[in-house]
Amino acid sequence: MRFRRISTTLAGASVLALSLAACGTAEVGGGGGGEGEGEGDRITIGVKYDQPGLGLLEGQAPVGFDVDVATYIAGELGYSPEQIDWTEAASANRESFLQQGTVDMIVATYSITDERKNVVDFAGPYYVAQQDILVAADNDDISGPEDLDGKVLCSASGSRSANNIVDSEEDGGLGIGAELREAGNYSECLELLGNGTVDAVTTDNTILAGFAAQNPDAYKMVNNPFGEEKYGVGLPKGSTERCEEINAAITKMWDEGVTTEYLETAFGETGFAYAEEQPAVEGCA
């Protein structure tokens, strides 16, 4: 898969623009069916509210790459931006929201895993991220996961990013002896990193790039990616037809070059190298 480093032509937008990422584009759908052509009058979509560049609450509405992707997909399903009800979907409650009918779908850096597929359905992936590490801006001791041995590592509740580092190789991890500190979300991890309670934060490079760009004087990515995280659109179990519709929308979004526009808008001048090509969508059960 080819990667492209984010263009520096967005220099004027830089850090301030990131926290406002996609503010305008969040209301642009995919140009699919007109108002009222969806299955109901409205659609409820779960996104993150605390991840700069991906899903960040600005005023009354969230903005970011995932929000733009969700708005495009909703447009292809026949819902205008005005027919979308946004709901905060933290990592720990994504499955329960889908199982309980709190949301119709979730677009929230939701990695497709076999374990999760036992209880929910996924369309996509619409993007494949890699895992990386965020440290304090003046930390030169940590340049990769191998340097986390004996260090305190933070990850958000409901995420398995830290386990990818500390679990044994037999269990699919790297077997590195870091001490885990779990926080409610990644904003809390950033607070712990800022006050020195933890030495590093680990999760997807998309998430970390947003936080690093929001406060570059305080934090930096080590830019040593590893692993793979396939971002899917979470759906209630048994949503085969809707899954196929969303996969078609994802393919169209990439074919039209809209996904690249969203990535450029969302991440600004972060140095984050994003994937240029659509990942292969997985079959719908």
Side-chain angles (χ1 to χ4, degrees):
M1 179 176 291
R2 295 201 312 272
F3 288 83
R4 178 190 298 171
R5 195 162 296 278
I6 289 290
S7 170
T8 57
T9 59
L10 299 176
S14 142
V15 175
L16 177 61
L18 179 63
S19 64
L20 300 173
C23 186
T25 57
E27 294 193 355
V28 179
E35 184 171 342
E37 292 181 12
E39 290 185 356
D41 292 333
R42 307 191 65 80
I43 186 169
T44 302
I45 304 177
V47 295
K48 293 294 181 67
Y49 278 11
D50 68 333
Q51 291 181 352
L54 290 160
L56 183 69
L57 187 63
E58 291 284 346
Q60 298 299 312
V63 297
F65 174 65
D66 278 353
V67 178
D68 286 343
V69 169
T71 304
Y72 184 101
I73 290 171
E76 291 299 309
L77 297 178
Y79 296 94
S80 70
E82 292 74 25
Q83 291 174 290
I84 300 173
D85 294 319
W86 301 106
T87 297
E88 182 178 15
S91 297
N93 60 24
R94 290 176 296 199
E95 283 85 21
S96 62
F97 273 17
L98 290 169
Q99 291 173 315
Q100 296 167 8
T102 305
V103 298
D104 296 300
M105 67 182 187
I106 288 179
V107 187
T109 59
Y110 199 7
S111 297
I112 301 171
T113 68
D114 290 339
E115 181 180 6
R116 289 169 175 165
K117 286 166 72 173
N118 288 327
V119 293
V120 301
D121 283 350
F122 283 101
Y126 60 89
Y127 188 78
V128 177
Q130 292 182 284
Q131 189 169 339
D132 213 319
I133 299 165
L134 189 78
V135 297
D138 60 356
N139 186 329
D140 296 323
D141 296 328
I142 299 174
S143 60
E146 66 280 355
D147 298 322
L148 293 171
D149 188 43
K151 301 293 195 300
V152 183
L153 179 65
C154 188
S155 190
S157 176
S159 169
R160 289 196 52 81
S161 294
N163 298 86
N164 294 337
I165 292 174
V166 301
D167 284 357
S168 67
E169 293 183 10
E170 290 80 6
D171 292 330
L174 298 175
I176 294 170
E179 177 185 342
L180 290 189
R181 173 68 181 265
E182 187 175 277
N185 53 46
Y186 287 109
S187 294
E188 291 181 18
C189 278
L190 266 289
E191 293 178 11
L192 296 174
L193 181 60
N195 64 31
T197 302
V198 302
D199 299 299
V201 180
T202 188
T203 188
D204 309 346
N205 53 5
T206 49
I207 298 172
L208 299 181
F211 283 122
Q214 191 180 46
N215 197 345
D217 293 332
Y219 312 113
K220 67 179 181 181
M221 287 176 62
V222 303
N223 278 315
N224 188 1
F226 56 97
E228 187 176 84
E229 300 292 340
K230 298 179 180 179
Y231 289 170
V233 178
L235 300 166
K237 199 67 177 171
S239 303
T240 303
E241 182 177 350
R242 176 50 56 91
C243 171
E244 292 171 348
E245 293 172 341
I246 293 175
N247 279 347
I250 290 170
T251 298
K252 182 178 178 181
M253 184 175 66
W254 276 95
D255 288 346
E256 292 179 340
V258 177
T259 310
T260 300
E261 294 175 10
Y262 290 163
L263 287 163
E264 286 278 355
T265 301
F267 292 105
E269 198 178 32
T270 64
F272 166 61
Y274 65 83
E276 290 187 270
E277 299 174 341
Q278 178 187 357
V281 295
E282 300 183 358
C284 300

